[in-house]
Amino acid sequence: MLVFLLIGEVIGRIGLVDRSYLPPASSVLARAGGLLTDGGFLQDVAWTLKVWAVGLLIAVVIAVPVGLLLGSLPVVNSAVRVLIEFLRPIPAVALIPLVILMIADQAQIEQTLAAYAAMWPILINTVYAVGDVDPVPREMARSFGLGRAVILARVALPSVAPFVATGIRVASSIALIVTISTELTAGGGEHGIGIFILNASSDATHADVVFAAAGIAGLLGYLIDVTMRTIERRLFRWHYERLGRAS
């Protein structure tokens, strides 16, 4: 990262590229520091994070139960596999025009698309994790007369939980990307990091503001990933110890 910033500084200083297009890294960092103390920009950050969190929560609420169901019922999984593989590759941003026709509120548009994009890694991780549950404890529980629902809750779910957590961590980054991308592409809103970048990009002299806001968005993604990874390792320390990884 330091090398990357140094290269950007040198290119900007020697005039290899017009500063209005690629300002020096020092100017971008200074602008980023100013944005982090700007109440208006912080409100945009808070808006984006709120929408991101709601979208991710919706994805978890939908994907985890559906994944448990599909993973525990191979016949149902086979029946809907084609539909899942058809919908999963569709970019969430490509659905913006369709969602706008159905939903008028900016927050709900972003939440819907973020949930759609974040749902797939959680769902796929959950389905495959349920399929890989050790059959021995499952059969033992069945021999003691436990029902399917109890086996799923007491045997399958604890084994699946670390993989679900990994899916949620991956989905959290995807949800943030889609949230900001929707703000940039759909426009028409008043709040959000994407709206801030879109407004700043309308002025050719504000390239440093655009780069600074984009850098802060990347920093948010990094902090979210680190936070999710830390929570994941603390909650499932036993899982990583069994894999021989340091917690």
Side-chain angles (χ1 to χ4, degrees), residues 50-92:
K50 178 182 177 181
V51 173
W52 161 82
V54 173
L56 182 62
L57 179 61
I58 293 172
V60 172
V61 170
I62 294 174
V64 173
V66 173
L68 291 173
L69 176 65
L70 296 181
S72 58
L73 297 174
V75 175
V76 179
N77 187 18
S78 299
V80 301
R81 173 60 61 178
V82 174
L83 178 61
I84 291 176
E85 294 302 328
F86 171 76
L87 294 174
R88 187 163 63 95
I90 299 177

Side-chain angles (χ1 to χ4, degrees), residues 68 129-130 132-144 146-163 238 242:
L68 291 173
V130 173
D132 288 339
V133 172
D134 188 352
V136 174
R138 188 162 48 190
E139 293 301 326
M140 183 179 295
R142 186 174 292 112
S143 68
F144 279 101
L146 298 180
R148 183 184 294 273
V150 177
I151 294 174
L152 187 64
R154 295 188 179 183
V155 178
L157 192 56
S159 300
V160 169
F163 301 96
W238 55 270
R242 186 180 63 183

